[in-house]
Amino acid sequence: MSAPIPLISVDGVYKRFAGPDSLLRRISGKPPLAVHALNDVSLEVHRGETLGIVGESGCGKSTLARCLVRLYEPDGGAIRFEGKDIAALKPSERRAFNRRVQMIFQDPYSSLNPRMTVSQILTEALGVHRMRPRKEIPHRIDELLDLVRLPRDAAHRYPHEFSGGQRQRIGIARALAVEPEVIVADELVSALDVSVQAQVVNLLLQLQQELHLTVIFVAHDLRLVRHISHRVAVMYLGQVVEISPSEALFSTPRHPYSKALLDAAPELDPARRSRTVAARGELPSPLHLPPGCPFASRCPRVFERCHVERPALTARGPNRRAACHLPDFGAPSAIQSDEVMKS
Ligand SMILES: Nc1ncnc2c1ncn2[C@@H]1O[C@H](COP(=O)(O)OP(=O)(O)OP(=O)(O)O)[C@@H](O)[C@H]1O
Ligand SMILES: [Mg+2]
């Protein structure tokens, strides 16, 4: 039996932005610099799962999220939805795609029109894709408010009358109004107080199960990502360096950068607590990508080949892939032999 087609597949995607001083450099005859935000990203997202995307600031998470909802056009590679290249959709398919895949933004303050009531905001969202006949809209608004656990009288109030967490619930209700199948949540809760973050994330978890949503959850906070994700993709300098089931990644990272990222978040698991700074050195500039492994300049296990040859993302056991020239990195047998060498 052949494997089911992933709902979304990202295949060798590149995205570059004009670098700093582009105009000045052109005027003075110098070649323009490009920021290599995505550099051959490949991953797939399966229907009904939550895929977490983690990695330090500037590694391309938001750029990838924006490419997934067609806010950005990749410069190379393809993104396929149900096997179809989203850059080549017919207008009617494109409209359907725009409804089926919704993004929820980090900042609920700026993404809600302050002059519209919640009812108007949701009515507008329902109108864009003609989701309901006019007379059914009030009932649908009640349903949406129930879904995000807001009181029904919220409909007649303005965004500024709500707390940050409640505003993010309004943002979720607006995304759900068009009955999407995929939610791309970029730093959904990072602007909220820690005490409110868990409530909003748990709401998303419940909605995901209730509505069989597929969720792409981009976040800095590894604790939240672990809590919510079935699988996690770890990005570094515009590339996916590991993609693994969540628990497997957090217990036995198979890429030195994944390990460094987890070691730098000691609150995750007190047993792993370490005082050492996990990834030494500076993050290379996305203006000048190194020729070999992107993590070579900071990797504690670096060797010659890493500086010249970029490792491909290859299988590391069931459902796991990592891009490292050390195929045994993090494998149980390798950990045991490391322990023997230390003792
Ligand atoms: N519109 C843009 N124009 C120029 N450069 C950009 C643009 N958007 C992103 N970049 C650059 O692309 C790289 C990736 O940025 P991106 O915002 O995707 O990272 P990120 O992983 O989401 O970071 P963070 O965790 O801080 O949100 C960075 O070097 C960033 O400066
Ligand atoms: Mg970002």
PDB file of all heavy atoms in Angstrom, residues 57-58 60-63 106 186-187 218 220, ligand 2:
ATOM      1  N   SER A  57      15.742  32.913  16.806  1.00  0.00           N
ATOM      2  CA  SER A  57      15.257  34.067  16.062  1.00  0.00           C
ATOM      3  C   SER A  57      16.004  34.243  14.737  1.00  0.00           C
ATOM      4  O   SER A  57      17.225  34.113  14.681  1.00  0.00           O
ATOM      5  CB  SER A  57      15.455  35.302  16.948  1.00  0.00           C
ATOM      6  OG  SER A  57      14.776  36.368  16.373  1.00  0.00           O
ATOM      7  N   GLY A  58      15.262  34.504  13.679  1.00  0.00           N
ATOM      8  CA  GLY A  58      15.875  34.772  12.379  1.00  0.00           C
ATOM      9  C   GLY A  58      16.128  33.526  11.538  1.00  0.00           C
ATOM     10  O   GLY A  58      16.687  33.614  10.445  1.00  0.00           O
ATOM     11  N   GLY A  60      13.996  31.688  10.016  1.00  0.00           N
ATOM     12  CA  GLY A  60      13.106  31.554   8.854  1.00  0.00           C
ATOM     13  C   GLY A  60      11.725  30.997   9.150  1.00  0.00           C
ATOM     14  O   GLY A  60      10.972  30.697   8.225  1.00  0.00           O
ATOM     15  N   LYS A  61      11.361  30.893  10.433  1.00  0.00           N
ATOM     16  CA  LYS A  61      10.064  30.294  10.789  1.00  0.00           C
ATOM     17  C   LYS A  61       8.895  31.090  10.207  1.00  0.00           C
ATOM     18  O   LYS A  61       7.998  30.533   9.581  1.00  0.00           O
ATOM     19  CB  LYS A  61       9.918  30.213  12.324  1.00  0.00           C
ATOM     20  CG  LYS A  61      11.032  29.455  13.015  1.00  0.00           C
ATOM     21  CD  LYS A  61      10.830  29.381  14.515  1.00  0.00           C
ATOM     22  CE  LYS A  61      10.866  30.700  15.267  1.00  0.00           C
ATOM     23  NZ  LYS A  61      12.174  31.381  15.227  1.00  0.00           N
ATOM     24  N   SER A  62       8.917  32.415  10.428  1.00  0.00           N
ATOM     25  CA  SER A  62       7.796  33.236   9.940  1.00  0.00           C
ATOM     26  C   SER A  62       7.780  33.288   8.420  1.00  0.00           C
ATOM     27  O   SER A  62       6.713  33.317   7.810  1.00  0.00           O
ATOM     28  CB  SER A  62       7.890  34.664  10.490  1.00  0.00           C
ATOM     29  OG  SER A  62       7.783  34.634  11.879  1.00  0.00           O
ATOM     30  N   THR A  63       8.964  33.297   7.817  1.00  0.00           N
ATOM     31  CA  THR A  63       9.024  33.316   6.348  1.00  0.00           C
ATOM     32  C   THR A  63       8.375  32.051   5.803  1.00  0.00           C
ATOM     33  O   THR A  63       7.580  32.101   4.859  1.00  0.00           O
ATOM     34  CB  THR A  63      10.486  33.430   5.878  1.00  0.00           C
ATOM     35  OG1 THR A  63      11.068  34.581   6.500  1.00  0.00           O
ATOM     36  CG2 THR A  63      10.583  33.566   4.372  1.00  0.00           C
ATOM     37  N   GLN A 106       0.416  36.858  15.400  1.00  0.00           N
ATOM     38  CA  GLN A 106       0.887  36.979  16.777  1.00  0.00           C
ATOM     39  C   GLN A 106       0.181  38.103  17.537  1.00  0.00           C
ATOM     40  O   GLN A 106      -0.143  37.964  18.700  1.00  0.00           O
ATOM     41  CB  GLN A 106       2.389  37.265  16.774  1.00  0.00           C
ATOM     42  CG  GLN A 106       2.915  37.673  18.125  1.00  0.00           C
ATOM     43  CD  GLN A 106       4.403  37.962  18.082  1.00  0.00           C
ATOM     44  OE1 GLN A 106       5.038  37.862  17.039  1.00  0.00           O
ATOM     45  NE2 GLN A 106       4.945  38.312  19.214  1.00  0.00           N
ATOM     46  N   ASP A 186       1.486  31.645  13.998  1.00  0.00           N
ATOM     47  CA  ASP A 186       2.868  32.124  14.148  1.00  0.00           C
ATOM     48  C   ASP A 186       2.992  32.884  15.460  1.00  0.00           C
ATOM     49  O   ASP A 186       2.452  33.979  15.598  1.00  0.00           O
ATOM     50  CB  ASP A 186       3.233  33.027  12.960  1.00  0.00           C
ATOM     51  CG  ASP A 186       4.706  33.421  12.974  1.00  0.00           C
ATOM     52  OD1 ASP A 186       5.454  32.945  13.850  1.00  0.00           O
ATOM     53  OD2 ASP A 186       5.112  34.212  12.105  1.00  0.00           O
ATOM     54  N   GLU A 187       3.681  32.283  16.414  1.00  0.00           N
ATOM     55  CA  GLU A 187       3.851  32.909  17.741  1.00  0.00           C
ATOM     56  C   GLU A 187       2.503  33.353  18.291  1.00  0.00           C
ATOM     57  O   GLU A 187       2.349  34.477  18.764  1.00  0.00           O
ATOM     58  CB  GLU A 187       4.812  34.113  17.661  1.00  0.00           C
ATOM     59  CG  GLU A 187       6.162  33.802  17.046  1.00  0.00           C
ATOM     60  CD  GLU A 187       7.107  33.049  17.960  1.00  0.00           C
ATOM     61  OE1 GLU A 187       6.742  32.781  19.117  1.00  0.00           O
ATOM     62  OE2 GLU A 187       8.218  32.711  17.492  1.00  0.00           O
ATOM     63  N   VAL A 218       4.091  27.677  15.118  1.00  0.00           N
ATOM     64  CA  VAL A 218       5.434  28.257  15.135  1.00  0.00           C
ATOM     65  C   VAL A 218       5.640  28.924  16.487  1.00  0.00           C
ATOM     66  O   VAL A 218       4.816  29.752  16.888  1.00  0.00           O
ATOM     67  CB  VAL A 218       5.553  29.341  14.035  1.00  0.00           C
ATOM     68  CG1 VAL A 218       6.902  30.038  14.106  1.00  0.00           C
ATOM     69  CG2 VAL A 218       5.324  28.728  12.660  1.00  0.00           C
ATOM     70  N   HIS A 220       8.655  30.051  19.876  1.00  0.00           N
ATOM     71  CA  HIS A 220       9.949  30.046  20.543  1.00  0.00           C
ATOM     72  C   HIS A 220       9.932  29.113  21.749  1.00  0.00           C
ATOM     73  O   HIS A 220      10.944  28.565  22.130  1.00  0.00           O
ATOM     74  CB  HIS A 220      10.220  31.449  21.103  1.00  0.00           C
ATOM     75  CG  HIS A 220      10.972  32.305  20.172  1.00  0.00           C
ATOM     76  ND1 HIS A 220      10.361  33.238  19.381  1.00  0.00           N
ATOM     77  CD2 HIS A 220      12.292  32.378  19.913  1.00  0.00           C
ATOM     78  CE1 HIS A 220      11.279  33.849  18.673  1.00  0.00           C
ATOM     79  NE2 HIS A 220      12.451  33.353  18.961  1.00  0.00           N
TER      80      HIS A 220
HETATM   81 MG    MG B   2       9.000  34.978  13.379  1.00  0.00          MG
END
